[in-house]
Amino acid sequence: MGDWGSGRVLRDRNAGLYLLGVVVSGFGTTAMWLVAGIWVKSLTGSDSLAALTVFAMWAPVLAGPALGVLADRLPRRPLLVAACLVMAVLLPTLCLVDSAGRVWLLFAVLLVYGICGTLHEAAEAALVARAVDVRLLGDFNGLRMTAGESMKLLAPLAGAALFTRFGGASVALLDAVTFALAAGLFLLLRVDRDAPERTGALTGPRAGGLARALEGGRQLWGSPVLRPLVSAAGAVMFLAGINGAVVYAVADDVLGRTPAYVGVLYAVQGAGSVLSGLVAGPLLRRMPVRVFTAAGTALFALGCGGRALPYEAAALAGSALIGAGLPCVLIAALTTVQREVPDSVVGRTAATANTLVFVPNALALALGAGLVAFVDVTLLLPALTAAGLAVSLLLVTAPVGTVTSRRAPV
């Protein structure tokens, strides 16, 4: 934390306000994500419906390219504030969910939750790229990852305790309050020029909606720097999805522990992510971005292999490596998008990148759930290790594009 970049980020008014907003809203969001499935399960008794709560919140990422256009066509700070206020108003309606017949209302709110979250991510990427010194983007994104992961260590316990004592409505109200507080913090951000310039054939007012939505993909595909980073991130998140789907088999079949031990593995993984976020900025300034991404991929791959060993120490060390490696891949991709892409299309490009990175993760979760029923987890995890190391090797051996910032350092 004493690193020049991290210290300067924390002293920057905009960066500090935004990170505080991430901490506040992230606490409520993480608690709600956990409780939503428990709530549905308690009302309906259905495991399938409980699992669909996560899908409802993730589904809007499929529309990321289209939703990202809004982040490039509207002032970003008001869009951030509006997304938070929409959720602050909607979440209290979940107090009406008191029976299986009203579970549909919870799913409807979760779907809007996902839409606002996708919009928020796109607007944030564009706004931060303008508000934060280009040399500090890696530090900021690392600290943001740390803030988010820190909440995952605390919020699930608080959410579960609230649900047990007062019911799901209490968690919904807590989440609403955190969104309202975050909206107030984002409102205090100072940005000289909030809305992007609308220039260029595809970003101008006459461009068709489809062309505007596809522009983010064109930016990613046409960049020799971004294309391999986003492709690698998508591949790694696919492997991460399979790894996440087999974690209960690791606890039971490999370690001989109860399912509750998964919580310990996730806690250690979260601690690794917190540490990774703290050091990401300094490392990105000292290492080529591809090497940084490849190193994170290798850490993740080795962590998967560690979970295949029948020793608790190996499983815990593997979880820490997974937690340390995954953020490197995500931080590198987002930071490079913010540096490489023109301001007029950075929102939709970041949203498209999120779609390409996180949709494979969702698909792999389903695939992994099927694979673990037919493939021994002690064979599956080493296969993930081999695949991850192959991705890492490809990153450092493929031809390297030139990183060029679209903004001059300030």
Side-chain angles (χ1 to χ4, degrees):
M1 293 297 289
D3 175 80
W4 172 82
S6 298
R8 190 172 169 190
V9 167
L10 293 174
R11 289 192 297 270
D12 180 86
R13 182 180 184 277
N14 280 334
L17 283 171
Y18 194 87
L19 288 172
L20 183 57
V22 168
V23 169
V24 170
S25 63
F27 185 89
T29 295
T30 304
M32 191 65 204
W33 275 50
L34 170 71
V35 164
I38 301 174
W39 199 352
V40 170
K41 170 70 175 177
S42 67
L43 291 175
T44 67
S46 171
D47 291 326
S48 298
L49 286 176
L52 281 177
T53 59
V54 177
F55 176 78
M57 299 179 81
W58 272 100
V61 77
L62 293 169
L67 293 172
V69 172
L70 292 177
D72 289 330
R73 306 290 293 178
L74 299 173
R76 278 82 177 250
R77 186 185 64 166
L79 187 58
L80 285 176
V81 173
C84 289
L85 290 178
V86 166
M87 293 313 305
V89 171
L90 274 183
L91 281 164
T93 65
L94 295 182
C95 292
L96 300 174
V97 180
D98 56 2
S99 65
R102 291 184 175 178
V103 163
W104 66 268
L105 178 59
L106 176 58
F107 280 100
V109 171
L110 292 178
L111 186 63
V112 178
Y113 207 124
I115 292 172
C116 288
T118 302
L119 274 174
H120 192 285
E121 293 284 340
E124 172 202 315
L127 185 62
V128 166
R130 175 167 296 282
V132 177
D133 183 341
V134 67
R135 296 170 298 184
L136 301 178
L137 286 173
D139 297 273
F140 177 89
N141 290 325
L143 289 174
R144 186 196 183 284
M145 179 71 69
T146 294
E149 291 299 320
S150 297
M151 292 304 98
K152 292 180 182 178
L153 299 177
L154 303 173
L157 295 176
L162 276 176
F163 180 84
T164 301
R165 181 68 178 84
F166 301 107
S170 64
V171 182
L173 292 175
L174 169 68
D175 200 9
V177 170
T178 62
F179 270 115
L181 292 174
L185 291 168
F186 297 148
L187 195 60
L188 296 175
L189 294 173
R190 296 173 182 169
V191 184
D192 292 337
R193 186 166 58 82
D194 200 1
E197 294 178 354
R198 297 187 175 96
T199 58
L202 289 178
T203 59
R206 295 184 180 181
L210 179 60
R212 290 196 293 268
L214 294 178
E215 177 63 10
R218 292 185 63 225
Q219 292 287 333
L220 295 174
W221 183 254
S223 169
V225 176
L226 290 172
R227 186 170 61 247
L229 290 178
V230 174
S231 299
V236 172
M237 291 306 292
F238 179 83
L239 299 177
I242 297 177
N243 174 69
V246 304
V247 66
Y248 286 97
V250 170
D252 183 13
D253 300 338
V254 178
L255 301 177
R257 301 296 297 262
T258 66
Y261 192 73
V262 169
V264 177
L265 296 178
Y266 274 130
V268 174
Q269 181 174 324
S273 296
V274 169
L275 177 62
S276 182
L278 291 174
V279 301
L283 290 178
L284 272 174
R285 286 196 298 276
R286 292 167 172 80
M287 301 169 63
V289 66
R290 277 211 199 179
V291 175
F292 177 78
T293 306
T297 302
L299 288 177
F300 161 77
L302 294 173
C304 291
R307 283 183 169 181
L309 301 176
Y311 308 105
E312 288 190 26
L316 294 173
S319 296
L321 289 176
I322 291 169
L326 284 178
C328 297
V329 178
L330 301 177
I331 292 168
L334 175 58
T335 301
T336 308
V337 166
Q338 291 170 322
R339 288 174 174 170
E340 285 279 303
V341 177
D343 184 73
S344 58
V345 293
V346 69
R348 74 197 76 175
T349 305
T352 301
N354 283 338
T355 298
L356 295 174
V357 169
F358 290 111
V359 167
N361 182 260
L363 295 176
L365 283 168
L367 176 62
L371 283 175
V372 76
F374 301 99
V375 182
D376 191 318
V377 69
T378 58
L379 299 177
L380 187 56
L381 287 170
L384 296 183
T385 297
L389 291 176
V391 173
S392 179
L393 183 62
L394 285 173
L395 273 171
V396 294
T397 57
V400 180
T402 303
V403 179
T404 56
S405 171
R406 62 184 175 80
R407 295 188 295 151
V410 294

